[in-house]
Amino acid sequence: MLRALLCTCALGLPLTAAAFTGTDLVKLCNRSDVPSKSACQAYIEGAADGAYNTIEAIGGTTGPLVGQYFCLPAGTTPDEMTNAVRHWANHNGDKLEYNASTVVALGLGATYACRASN
């Protein structure tokens, strides 16, 4: 009986899982406890790293490329990245239904836009 219950739960879980949205990220980042703040920063760093690696896989990150939303300067800290995303989210509440990783890319792009090389 326990095995049947576990199988039912395991099979039902993917059907009820929802995407992590910008609204979810903002709620996480607005919490004041240390684990939530750490999770917020870790998500933003991971999403930024994932975007960087995707761009690298399709041709490099040495300048403004099609699809490259942001260019982080060397030495950008996790706190600076988090503040950039939070600032963008506070001014773009109508876009928080987007996937959280999209919100990260748009938020970082608003602060760390790529500059054309001369």
Side-chain angles (χ1 to χ4, degrees):
M1 182 65 171
L2 181 58
R3 183 178 294 164
L5 179 61
L6 290 174
C7 287
T8 302
C9 289
L11 292 174
L13 183 60
L15 298 175
T16 60
F20 189 62
T21 67
T23 300
D24 298 325
L25 181 61
V26 168
K27 286 179 186 176
L28 177 66
C29 293
N30 284 339
R31 293 182 187 155
S32 60
D33 61 289
V34 173
S36 294
K37 285 185 174 195
S38 295
C40 168
Q41 281 188 343
Y43 185 89
I44 290 171
E45 286 183 274
D49 190 47
Y52 177 90
N53 288 330
T54 299
I55 296 300
E56 186 69 22
I58 62 171
T61 58
T62 57
L65 302 173
V66 173
Q68 187 168 350
Y69 292 108
F70 58 89
C71 294
L72 295 175
T76 304
T77 67
D79 281 336
E80 291 169 333
M81 292 169 58
T82 300
N83 289 339
V85 172
R86 290 179 74 188
H87 182 266
W88 182 89
N90 286 336
H91 293 88
N92 293 279
D94 61 322
K95 294 178 179 69
L96 295 182
E97 75 278 358
Y98 295 168
N99 183 286
S101 61
T102 301
V103 168
V104 170
L106 293 172
L108 292 176
T111 301
Y112 302 106
C114 297
R115 307 283 184 244
S117 301
N118 292 331

